[in-house]
Amino acid sequence: MNNKPMMSREPMQVWIGFQVFLFPFLSLTTPSGIGFSSLLFLLSALCVPRKAWAALTPHWKEIRWVVAAFWFQFALAIVAFLVRPEAGLDSLDKPSRMLLCLSCLALVLLARPSASTLWWGVVAGSVAALPFVAWQRIVLEVERPGGFLNAITFGDLALVLGLVALTAAIDYRHHTRKALLAGIGALAGLAACMLTGTRGAWVALALAALLFLSYAQLLRSRKVRLLLAGSFALVGAAFFVPATGMQERALQGVDDVQTWVDGGNVFTNVGTRLELWKGAAILIEERPLFGLDRNTVRAEIRRLVEQGTLDPAILSLEHLHNDALQALATGGVFGLAAWIGILAAPFVFFARQMGRGSARRTLGASLPQFAPALAGMLVVLCYFSFGLTEVIFWSLKGSMFYALMVFLLMGFCLAARPARQAKVEQRGN
């Protein structure tokens, strides 16, 4: 426990709080904001390595499985490189950088900035993303705008920002002005997502709605219920507005599935995915235990096309458009375990922070870690949903965004809890 007076920690608090704000704010509106933020966190931690490690040590029992999941992913990448050196050193880049995002968790526990630094960064990032992508869609007439990212990744991350902003509004439910501003950020994130035309995000919205409903009994605030109802009503209403293109894309998706099943045109967004999944199933059946390296997967897909087993329409696609299938095809059951681990371990951590049994019933949303824990569960659920029709972890920026957001929210969960509650839960672990 750090017994130093607040004044001695204030410069560190301000500096780390600024970095926490900067990360979500720059994520979608700059070409390298995510990478810049991760580097800044790491360099800051390296300036105070002993203090950063000392801040982590008291919470090791609670964070160990999450850290182990990211370590396992990195270790698997090292083994894969040693066995398949043709994959290149760049195969270690993403898992190593995701693991190093642990630095932001250490810094939050060390400096203990206010959670509002993250909330307002998320709100500002959502609000900034909307006009950015709206300009591309309306003025530049880009059908699928995505800023500095591809449209799918931009839409997915905008949705995450919107849902985390919605959680911030819940956290500010007793402060009308703050809740209103956070609500505006939530609506901006949802609107930015819709403008990209990303259909994969719709599943995430459905799961998010179920998560909010599962904790509805804890959210007795009328303002919160109105905010949740308004946010999801906006998305529902947008489906029937022709200008958004949501209804058209939904009907197109259904038609694409039927066309593929009937043996028709594969060259559609849904048709190419279904054809890729067919090819992935063949490759996984051949090498279920260890899989193949990424380049060999593409070569094998090309071979199946040349044999006439698959349609040539899929040759231009870089990955299998499903995180689970990509993990199985390139890493076998071990790759699948790594993917499940970095999703399941954080989700369980955040779920535990929401309280257990009587604590959940009696304290509920009054728990100080309630909002960051709920936000963390939403982030994990979103990434799981995105991975159903996209390899969201293919993108370095998408992967880094996930790791940074997860570790930051873990830090705010642990920093928010009263000391007595933390000791009781640690004994329970």
Side-chain angles (χ1 to χ4, degrees):
M1 195 74 175
N2 195 339
N3 295 318
K4 291 183 179 181
M6 179 63 72
M7 288 302 294
S8 67
R9 294 205 313 255
E10 192 171 331
M12 176 68 79
Q13 280 186 320
V14 172
W15 174 236
I16 301 306
F18 173 70
Q19 292 181 57
V20 170
F21 172 88
L22 212 58
F23 155 57
F25 176 57
L26 298 180
S27 292
L28 295 183
T29 53
T30 60
S32 55
I34 299 173
F36 172 74
S37 293
S38 67
L39 179 61
L40 206 57
F41 279 122
L42 179 60
L43 292 176
S44 296
L46 290 176
C47 289
V48 285
R50 291 184 179 179
K51 291 181 179 179
W53 178 252
L56 280 178
T57 303
H59 306 282
W60 181 249
K61 284 187 177 181
E62 295 163 286
I63 68 173
R64 66 188 188 276
W65 293 114
V66 179
V67 177
F70 283 88
W71 259 113
F72 178 72
Q73 180 184 237
F74 179 48
L76 187 64
I78 293 175
V79 172
F81 171 72
L82 294 175
V83 174
R84 307 163 182 163
E86 63 274 9
L89 278 172
D90 61 334
S91 63
L92 304 179
D93 183 40
K94 188 162 48 183
S96 62
R97 292 176 67 174
M98 290 178 73
L99 177 61
L100 289 173
C101 287
L102 179 64
S103 59
C104 68
L105 167 58
L107 290 172
V108 168
L109 291 173
L110 173 63
R112 296 184 178 263
S114 170
S116 62
T117 56
L118 178 62
W119 296 152
W120 294 126
V122 166
V123 170
S126 296
V127 171
L130 179 57
F132 185 49
V133 76
W135 172 268
Q136 291 184 312
R137 176 73 181 267
I138 299 168
V139 179
L140 301 182
E141 297 182 345
V142 178
E143 185 179 355
R144 298 290 309 281
F148 296 108
L149 305 168
N150 67 61
I152 295 175
T153 304
F154 188 101
D156 289 345
L157 300 191
L159 177 63
V160 173
L161 289 180
L163 290 175
V164 174
L166 189 56
T167 309
I170 293 173
D171 200 25
Y172 289 134
R173 61 193 175 279
H174 302 305
H175 306 276
T176 303
R177 287 187 179 180
K178 291 181 178 180
L180 178 61
L181 289 173
I184 291 172
L187 295 177
L190 294 174
C193 175
M194 288 187 289
L195 284 172
T196 65
T198 303
R199 287 178 294 200
W202 302 348
V203 178
L205 272 174
L207 291 180
L210 289 175
L211 183 63
F212 280 120
L213 286 174
S214 69
Y215 288 96
Q217 74 276 16
L218 305 180
L219 303 172
R220 296 183 176 90
S221 169
R222 183 171 176 269
K223 295 176 184 177
V224 170
R225 291 177 179 174
L226 287 174
L227 181 64
L228 292 174
S231 299
F232 287 98
L234 171 69
V235 177
F239 182 82
F240 297 100
V241 177
T244 65
M246 290 180 66
Q247 188 178 63
E248 180 185 355
R249 284 184 59 75
L251 295 175
Q252 180 190 3
V254 173
D255 184 62
D256 289 350
V257 171
Q258 188 61 52
T259 300
W260 184 84
V261 170
D262 293 339
N265 179 29
V266 173
F267 197 68
T268 63
N269 287 332
V270 177
T272 50
R273 281 172 168 79
L274 293 171
E275 194 74 0
L276 278 169
W277 298 346
K278 174 184 172 183
I282 296 172
L283 298 183
I284 292 167
E285 186 178 4
E286 293 176 353
R287 296 287 295 274
L289 193 58
F290 300 108
L292 302 162
D293 69 86
R294 191 169 63 186
N295 294 330
T296 305
V297 166
R298 295 195 67 182
E300 287 297 297
I301 290 290
R302 180 175 292 278
R303 176 181 64 82
L304 291 172
V305 168
E306 291 172 352
Q307 290 178 354
T309 306
L310 300 177
D311 193 283
I314 64 173
L315 286 177
S316 61
L317 301 176
E318 290 185 302
H319 52 69
L320 299 175
H321 279 273
N322 179 281
D323 265 321
L325 292 177
Q326 185 75 28
L328 268 170
T330 57
V333 294
F334 298 101
L336 181 64
W339 173 71
I340 292 174
I342 63 172
L343 292 172
F347 189 85
V348 171
F349 170 87
F350 291 122
R352 290 170 70 93
Q353 299 304 307
M354 301 290 274
R356 301 191 190 93
S358 60
R360 179 179 294 180
R361 289 193 296 272
T362 56
L363 296 175
S366 65
L367 288 169
Q369 71 270 22
F370 178 87
L374 180 60
M377 294 173 76
L378 286 167
V379 171
V380 177
L381 272 182
C382 281
Y383 266 71
F384 167 77
S385 305
F386 302 154
L388 297 176
T389 56
E390 172 70 358
V391 182
I392 186 66
F393 288 111
W394 179 271
S395 161
L396 176 61
K397 292 179 180 178
S399 300
M400 295 295 292
F401 182 94
Y402 176 79
L404 285 170
M405 192 63 78
V406 162
F407 283 123
L408 281 175
L409 289 167
M410 286 176 63
F412 283 112
C413 282
L414 296 171
R417 296 178 312 162
R420 180 180 298 178
Q421 181 195 349
K423 289 179 180 178
V424 169
E425 291 192 4
Q426 283 180 6
R427 283 198 295 268
N429 291 333

